[in-house]
Amino acid sequence: MLRKKNLVVVGLTTFNTEMLKISVSAIARIKSNFTLIIHNDNPNQTVTVRTIRKIGYRGRLHIINSTQNIGLRAARLRILDAAGKYAPSAEWIIYIDDDDILLSADIPSVGTNNFAVIQNSLVVRRRVSDLITATCQPQSLCPDGDNIVLMRPYLGLGATAVRIDIMRAAANILHAAGARLDEIDASLEYRPPVDIMMWNALNSYARHTDPNAAPIYMDSVNCIRNGIDSAAIKYGRPLTAPRNSAAAVNRALARYDAVISHAMSQF
């Protein structure tokens, strides 16, 4: 697939602002045409333009410092709103978390029915040193099936390029379902699987409005993820359910999907 120049928003969500040294350092190396919008969800910390420039990023930038912790879903939707003001010509949006490493913001030439570009991810599961190494030399990391695992493809919203117009339309559904989604989030003993839930909602909305809508898959790695369980520190809950984690997540996703389907039926 040939790449073309597109206007892109990279939406970076942060809570542990020290982790910006990982994510922003990587973003600073990307040469594509994009605007970086950062949402800081930690009301006890302030991220400034100077903070980001010191890490090495020199491109277009907008920062949102939240006065209260609103969570990943709401933070991503705020970034989407800000994109309309600060990057009104943007065609695509790519979300990334503060402790993940985005390797590319290139968008291939795809069909008009392709609403997203799915790629692969490497996940660092245990050694922080590997994550630090990846910040400077991402090409040096290779999957070993144990500490560094290849997710092929990665099926979530993070690091997936999405057409910004379809993301805005899906956001209306997420806003409408917000209260009920919050109830599900609060009921879980572990960190809510927001990234997968938002991806499922986007897919459901896209196919609801156009039966021919489909993501397209590129067999390449565009993200190195931090899979070390820091969720208890960041969110007050562990990353996964203490028992039968896969089954627990599937049950939660089924509840989310039911809420999204009900919200779509009202539009």
Short mmCIF file of all heavy atoms in Angstrom, two decimals, residues 186-231:
data_model
loop_
_atom_site.label_atom_id
_atom_site.label_comp_id
_atom_site.label_asym_id
_atom_site.label_seq_id
_atom_site.Cartn_x
_atom_site.Cartn_y
_atom_site.Cartn_z
N ALA A 186 -17.48 1.36 37.00
CA ALA A 186 -17.41 1.40 38.46
C ALA A 186 -17.65 0.03 39.09
O ALA A 186 -17.19 -0.23 40.21
CB ALA A 186 -18.42 2.40 39.01
N SER A 187 -18.33 -0.85 38.37
CA SER A 187 -18.68 -2.16 38.94
C SER A 187 -17.54 -3.17 38.84
O SER A 187 -17.61 -4.23 39.47
CB SER A 187 -19.91 -2.73 38.22
OG SER A 187 -19.58 -3.14 36.89
N LEU A 188 -16.50 -2.86 38.08
CA LEU A 188 -15.43 -3.81 37.84
C LEU A 188 -14.35 -3.73 38.91
O LEU A 188 -14.02 -2.64 39.40
CB LEU A 188 -14.80 -3.57 36.46
CG LEU A 188 -15.76 -3.65 35.26
CD1 LEU A 188 -15.02 -3.33 33.97
CD2 LEU A 188 -16.43 -5.00 35.18
N GLU A 189 -13.77 -4.87 39.26
CA GLU A 189 -12.70 -4.93 40.27
C GLU A 189 -11.34 -4.58 39.68
O GLU A 189 -10.38 -4.39 40.41
CB GLU A 189 -12.63 -6.34 40.86
CG GLU A 189 -13.88 -6.81 41.58
CD GLU A 189 -13.74 -8.25 42.02
OE1 GLU A 189 -13.17 -9.06 41.25
OE2 GLU A 189 -14.18 -8.57 43.14
N TYR A 190 -11.25 -4.54 38.37
CA TYR A 190 -10.00 -4.32 37.68
C TYR A 190 -10.15 -3.12 36.76
O TYR A 190 -11.25 -2.57 36.61
CB TYR A 190 -9.62 -5.57 36.87
CG TYR A 190 -10.73 -6.05 35.96
CD1 TYR A 190 -10.80 -5.63 34.63
CD2 TYR A 190 -11.72 -6.90 36.43
CE1 TYR A 190 -11.82 -6.05 33.80
CE2 TYR A 190 -12.74 -7.33 35.61
CZ TYR A 190 -12.79 -6.89 34.30
OH TYR A 190 -13.82 -7.29 33.48
N ARG A 191 -9.06 -2.72 36.13
CA ARG A 191 -9.11 -1.57 35.24
C ARG A 191 -10.07 -1.84 34.08
O ARG A 191 -9.93 -2.85 33.37
CB ARG A 191 -7.72 -1.26 34.68
CG ARG A 191 -7.72 -0.06 33.74
CD ARG A 191 -6.37 0.15 33.10
NE ARG A 191 -6.44 1.23 32.12
CZ ARG A 191 -5.43 1.57 31.31
NH1 ARG A 191 -4.29 0.92 31.39
NH2 ARG A 191 -5.57 2.54 30.45
N PRO A 192 -11.06 -0.97 33.88
CA PRO A 192 -12.01 -1.20 32.78
C PRO A 192 -11.29 -1.30 31.44
O PRO A 192 -10.36 -0.53 31.16
CB PRO A 192 -12.91 0.05 32.83
CG PRO A 192 -12.80 0.53 34.24
CD PRO A 192 -11.39 0.22 34.66
N PRO A 193 -11.69 -2.24 30.59
CA PRO A 193 -11.03 -2.43 29.28
C PRO A 193 -11.50 -1.38 28.27
O PRO A 193 -12.12 -1.68 27.25
CB PRO A 193 -11.47 -3.84 28.88
CG PRO A 193 -12.81 -4.01 29.52
CD PRO A 193 -12.74 -3.27 30.83
N VAL A 194 -11.20 -0.12 28.58
CA VAL A 194 -11.71 1.01 27.80
C VAL A 194 -11.22 0.96 26.35
O VAL A 194 -11.98 1.26 25.42
CB VAL A 194 -11.31 2.34 28.46
CG1 VAL A 194 -11.72 3.53 27.59
CG2 VAL A 194 -11.93 2.46 29.84
N ASP A 195 -9.96 0.59 26.16
CA ASP A 195 -9.40 0.62 24.81
C ASP A 195 -10.15 -0.33 23.88
O ASP A 195 -10.50 0.04 22.75
CB ASP A 195 -7.92 0.24 24.87
CG ASP A 195 -7.19 0.56 23.59
OD1 ASP A 195 -7.23 1.73 23.16
OD2 ASP A 195 -6.58 -0.36 23.00
N ILE A 196 -10.42 -1.55 24.35
CA ILE A 196 -11.15 -2.51 23.53
C ILE A 196 -12.61 -2.09 23.39
O ILE A 196 -13.20 -2.22 22.31
CB ILE A 196 -11.04 -3.93 24.14
CG1 ILE A 196 -9.57 -4.34 24.26
CG2 ILE A 196 -11.79 -4.95 23.28
CD1 ILE A 196 -9.36 -5.66 24.98
N MET A 197 -13.20 -1.60 24.48
CA MET A 197 -14.59 -1.16 24.42
C MET A 197 -14.78 -0.07 23.38
O MET A 197 -15.72 -0.11 22.58
CB MET A 197 -15.04 -0.65 25.80
CG MET A 197 -16.49 -0.18 25.86
SD MET A 197 -16.77 1.52 25.30
CE MET A 197 -15.97 2.44 26.60
N MET A 198 -13.88 0.92 23.35
CA MET A 198 -14.01 2.01 22.38
C MET A 198 -13.81 1.51 20.95
O MET A 198 -14.47 1.97 20.01
CB MET A 198 -13.02 3.13 22.70
CG MET A 198 -13.32 3.86 24.00
SD MET A 198 -12.25 5.31 24.28
CE MET A 198 -12.94 6.50 23.11
N TRP A 199 -12.89 0.55 20.79
CA TRP A 199 -12.68 -0.04 19.47
C TRP A 199 -13.93 -0.78 19.01
O TRP A 199 -14.36 -0.64 17.85
CB TRP A 199 -11.48 -0.97 19.50
CG TRP A 199 -11.29 -1.79 18.26
CD1 TRP A 199 -11.41 -3.14 18.14
CD2 TRP A 199 -10.95 -1.31 16.95
NE1 TRP A 199 -11.18 -3.53 16.85
CE2 TRP A 199 -10.89 -2.43 16.09
CE3 TRP A 199 -10.69 -0.04 16.42
CZ2 TRP A 199 -10.58 -2.32 14.74
CZ3 TRP A 199 -10.40 0.07 15.06
CH2 TRP A 199 -10.34 -1.06 14.25
N ASN A 200 -14.52 -1.57 19.90
CA ASN A 200 -15.75 -2.29 19.55
C ASN A 200 -16.88 -1.32 19.20
O ASN A 200 -17.65 -1.56 18.26
CB ASN A 200 -16.18 -3.20 20.70
CG ASN A 200 -15.27 -4.40 20.87
OD1 ASN A 200 -14.40 -4.65 20.04
ND2 ASN A 200 -15.46 -5.15 21.94
N ALA A 201 -16.98 -0.23 19.97
CA ALA A 201 -18.03 0.76 19.70
C ALA A 201 -17.83 1.40 18.34
O ALA A 201 -18.79 1.62 17.58
CB ALA A 201 -18.03 1.82 20.80
N LEU A 202 -16.58 1.73 18.00
CA LEU A 202 -16.28 2.32 16.70
C LEU A 202 -16.66 1.37 15.58
O LEU A 202 -17.29 1.77 14.59
CB LEU A 202 -14.79 2.67 16.63
CG LEU A 202 -14.30 3.21 15.28
CD1 LEU A 202 -14.85 4.61 15.04
CD2 LEU A 202 -12.77 3.22 15.24
N ASN A 203 -16.28 0.10 15.70
CA ASN A 203 -16.62 -0.90 14.68
C ASN A 203 -18.13 -1.05 14.54
O ASN A 203 -18.66 -1.10 13.42
CB ASN A 203 -16.00 -2.25 15.05
CG ASN A 203 -14.58 -2.39 14.57
OD1 ASN A 203 -14.32 -2.96 13.52
ND2 ASN A 203 -13.64 -1.87 15.33
N SER A 204 -18.82 -1.13 15.67
CA SER A 204 -20.27 -1.30 15.63
C SER A 204 -20.93 -0.12 14.94
O SER A 204 -21.83 -0.30 14.10
CB SER A 204 -20.83 -1.45 17.05
OG SER A 204 -20.35 -2.62 17.66
N TYR A 205 -20.48 1.08 15.27
CA TYR A 205 -21.09 2.26 14.66
C TYR A 205 -20.79 2.31 13.16
O TYR A 205 -21.69 2.57 12.34
CB TYR A 205 -20.58 3.55 15.31
CG TYR A 205 -21.13 4.77 14.61
CD1 TYR A 205 -22.44 5.20 14.86
CD2 TYR A 205 -20.39 5.43 13.66
CE1 TYR A 205 -22.97 6.27 14.17
CE2 TYR A 205 -20.91 6.51 12.97
CZ TYR A 205 -22.20 6.93 13.23
OH TYR A 205 -22.73 7.99 12.54
N ALA A 206 -19.53 2.06 12.78
CA ALA A 206 -19.15 2.14 11.37
C ALA A 206 -19.97 1.17 10.52
O ALA A 206 -20.48 1.52 9.46
CB ALA A 206 -17.66 1.86 11.21
N ARG A 207 -20.14 -0.06 11.01
CA ARG A 207 -20.88 -1.07 10.24
C ARG A 207 -22.39 -0.84 10.32
O ARG A 207 -23.12 -1.25 9.44
CB ARG A 207 -20.50 -2.45 10.75
CG ARG A 207 -19.03 -2.79 10.43
CD ARG A 207 -18.69 -4.23 10.75
NE ARG A 207 -17.38 -4.57 10.23
CZ ARG A 207 -16.32 -4.82 10.99
NH1 ARG A 207 -16.42 -4.73 12.30
NH2 ARG A 207 -15.16 -5.13 10.45
N HIS A 208 -22.83 -0.18 11.38
CA HIS A 208 -24.25 0.16 11.50
C HIS A 208 -24.65 1.18 10.44
O HIS A 208 -25.75 1.12 9.89
CB HIS A 208 -24.52 0.72 12.90
CG HIS A 208 -25.92 1.18 13.13
ND1 HIS A 208 -26.97 0.31 13.30
CD2 HIS A 208 -26.44 2.44 13.20
CE1 HIS A 208 -28.09 1.01 13.48
NE2 HIS A 208 -27.79 2.30 13.43
N THR A 209 -23.74 2.09 10.14
CA THR A 209 -24.04 3.15 9.17
C THR A 209 -23.68 2.77 7.74
O THR A 209 -24.24 3.33 6.80
CB THR A 209 -23.30 4.45 9.55
OG1 THR A 209 -21.89 4.18 9.66
CG2 THR A 209 -23.81 4.98 10.88
N ASP A 210 -22.74 1.82 7.59
CA ASP A 210 -22.31 1.41 6.25
C ASP A 210 -21.90 -0.06 6.29
O ASP A 210 -20.84 -0.39 6.83
CB ASP A 210 -21.13 2.27 5.78
CG ASP A 210 -20.63 1.87 4.39
OD1 ASP A 210 -21.22 0.96 3.77
OD2 ASP A 210 -19.63 2.47 3.94
N PRO A 211 -22.70 -0.96 5.73
CA PRO A 211 -22.37 -2.40 5.76
C PRO A 211 -21.03 -2.73 5.11
O PRO A 211 -20.44 -3.78 5.40
CB PRO A 211 -23.53 -3.05 5.00
CG PRO A 211 -24.65 -2.05 5.07
CD PRO A 211 -24.00 -0.70 5.07
N ASN A 212 -20.54 -1.85 4.24
CA ASN A 212 -19.26 -2.09 3.56
C ASN A 212 -18.07 -1.52 4.32
O ASN A 212 -16.93 -1.70 3.90
CB ASN A 212 -19.30 -1.48 2.16
CG ASN A 212 -20.31 -2.16 1.26
OD1 ASN A 212 -20.42 -3.39 1.26
ND2 ASN A 212 -21.07 -1.38 0.50
N ALA A 213 -18.32 -0.84 5.42
CA ALA A 213 -17.23 -0.25 6.19
C ALA A 213 -16.38 -1.36 6.81
O ALA A 213 -16.90 -2.36 7.31
CB ALA A 213 -17.79 0.66 7.28
N ALA A 214 -15.07 -1.15 6.79
CA ALA A 214 -14.16 -2.17 7.34
C ALA A 214 -12.81 -1.54 7.65
O ALA A 214 -12.35 -0.65 6.93
CB ALA A 214 -13.97 -3.31 6.34
N PRO A 215 -12.16 -2.01 8.71
CA PRO A 215 -10.76 -1.61 8.92
C PRO A 215 -9.87 -2.36 7.93
O PRO A 215 -10.28 -3.37 7.36
CB PRO A 215 -10.49 -2.04 10.36
CG PRO A 215 -11.42 -3.19 10.58
CD PRO A 215 -12.65 -2.91 9.76
N ILE A 216 -8.68 -1.87 7.75
CA ILE A 216 -7.71 -2.56 6.89
C ILE A 216 -6.48 -2.89 7.74
O ILE A 216 -6.14 -2.14 8.67
CB ILE A 216 -7.34 -1.71 5.66
CG1 ILE A 216 -6.61 -2.56 4.62
CG2 ILE A 216 -6.54 -0.47 6.04
CD1 ILE A 216 -6.48 -1.89 3.26
N TYR A 217 -5.85 -4.02 7.44
CA TYR A 217 -4.74 -4.50 8.27
C TYR A 217 -3.42 -4.33 7.55
O TYR A 217 -3.27 -4.71 6.39
CB TYR A 217 -4.97 -5.97 8.61
CG TYR A 217 -3.80 -6.65 9.28
CD1 TYR A 217 -3.25 -6.15 10.45
CD2 TYR A 217 -3.25 -7.81 8.74
CE1 TYR A 217 -2.17 -6.78 11.07
CE2 TYR A 217 -2.18 -8.46 9.34
CZ TYR A 217 -1.65 -7.93 10.52
OH TYR A 217 -0.59 -8.55 11.12
N MET A 218 -2.44 -3.74 8.25
CA MET A 218 -1.06 -3.67 7.78
C MET A 218 -0.21 -4.56 8.68
O MET A 218 -0.19 -4.37 9.90
CB MET A 218 -0.53 -2.23 7.83
CG MET A 218 -1.12 -1.30 6.79
SD MET A 218 -0.43 0.37 6.97
CE MET A 218 1.32 0.07 6.68
N ASP A 219 0.49 -5.51 8.11
CA ASP A 219 1.30 -6.45 8.89
C ASP A 219 2.65 -5.81 9.23
O ASP A 219 3.69 -6.18 8.71
CB ASP A 219 1.49 -7.74 8.12
CG ASP A 219 2.11 -8.84 8.97
OD1 ASP A 219 2.25 -8.64 10.19
OD2 ASP A 219 2.46 -9.90 8.41
N SER A 220 2.59 -4.81 10.12
CA SER A 220 3.79 -4.11 10.55
C SER A 220 3.59 -3.65 11.99
O SER A 220 2.45 -3.47 12.44
CB SER A 220 4.08 -2.90 9.64
OG SER A 220 2.96 -2.03 9.60
N VAL A 221 4.69 -3.46 12.70
CA VAL A 221 4.63 -3.02 14.09
C VAL A 221 4.69 -1.50 14.13
O VAL A 221 5.63 -0.89 13.62
CB VAL A 221 5.79 -3.61 14.92
CG1 VAL A 221 5.81 -3.02 16.32
CG2 VAL A 221 5.68 -5.13 14.98
N ASN A 222 3.68 -0.87 14.73
CA ASN A 222 3.70 0.59 14.85
C ASN A 222 3.65 1.06 16.29
O ASN A 222 3.57 2.27 16.55
CB ASN A 222 2.56 1.22 14.06
CG ASN A 222 1.21 1.10 14.77
OD1 ASN A 222 0.93 0.08 15.39
ND2 ASN A 222 0.39 2.13 14.68
N CYS A 223 3.72 0.11 17.26
CA CYS A 223 3.65 0.51 18.66
C CYS A 223 4.35 -0.52 19.54
O CYS A 223 4.24 -1.73 19.30
CB CYS A 223 2.19 0.65 19.09
SG CYS A 223 1.96 1.23 20.79
N ILE A 224 5.07 -0.02 20.54
CA ILE A 224 5.63 -0.87 21.59
C ILE A 224 4.90 -0.50 22.87
O ILE A 224 4.93 0.66 23.30
CB ILE A 224 7.15 -0.67 21.75
CG1 ILE A 224 7.86 -1.04 20.44
CG2 ILE A 224 7.70 -1.52 22.89
CD1 ILE A 224 9.33 -0.69 20.40
N ARG A 225 4.22 -1.48 23.46
CA ARG A 225 3.34 -1.21 24.60
C ARG A 225 3.99 -1.65 25.92
O ARG A 225 4.69 -2.64 25.98
CB ARG A 225 2.01 -1.95 24.43
CG ARG A 225 1.28 -1.54 23.18
CD ARG A 225 -0.06 -2.25 23.02
NE ARG A 225 -0.64 -1.87 21.75
CZ ARG A 225 -1.30 -0.74 21.54
NH1 ARG A 225 -1.51 0.08 22.56
NH2 ARG A 225 -1.78 -0.45 20.36
N ASN A 226 3.66 -0.88 26.95
CA ASN A 226 4.07 -1.25 28.29
C ASN A 226 3.01 -2.17 28.88
O ASN A 226 1.92 -1.74 29.22
CB ASN A 226 4.23 0.01 29.15
CG ASN A 226 4.61 -0.31 30.57
OD1 ASN A 226 4.96 -1.46 30.90
ND2 ASN A 226 4.56 0.68 31.45
N GLY A 227 3.34 -3.44 28.98
CA GLY A 227 2.42 -4.41 29.55
C GLY A 227 2.70 -4.73 31.01
O GLY A 227 2.11 -5.64 31.58
N ILE A 228 3.61 -3.96 31.62
CA ILE A 228 3.92 -4.15 33.04
C ILE A 228 2.75 -3.60 33.84
O ILE A 228 2.27 -2.49 33.58
CB ILE A 228 5.23 -3.44 33.42
CG1 ILE A 228 6.38 -3.99 32.56
CG2 ILE A 228 5.54 -3.59 34.89
CD1 ILE A 228 7.63 -3.16 32.62
N ASP A 229 2.25 -4.35 34.81
CA ASP A 229 1.02 -3.98 35.51
C ASP A 229 1.26 -2.82 36.47
O ASP A 229 1.59 -3.02 37.64
CB ASP A 229 0.44 -5.18 36.26
CG ASP A 229 -0.95 -4.87 36.82
OD1 ASP A 229 -1.40 -3.74 36.65
OD2 ASP A 229 -1.56 -5.78 37.39
N SER A 230 1.11 -1.60 35.93
CA SER A 230 1.19 -0.40 36.77
C SER A 230 -0.21 0.16 37.03
O SER A 230 -0.35 1.25 37.57
CB SER A 230 2.05 0.66 36.09
OG SER A 230 1.51 1.01 34.83
N ALA A 231 -1.24 -0.60 36.63
CA ALA A 231 -2.61 -0.08 36.73
C ALA A 231 -3.03 0.18 38.17
O ALA A 231 -3.79 1.10 38.44
CB ALA A 231 -3.58 -1.06 36.07
#
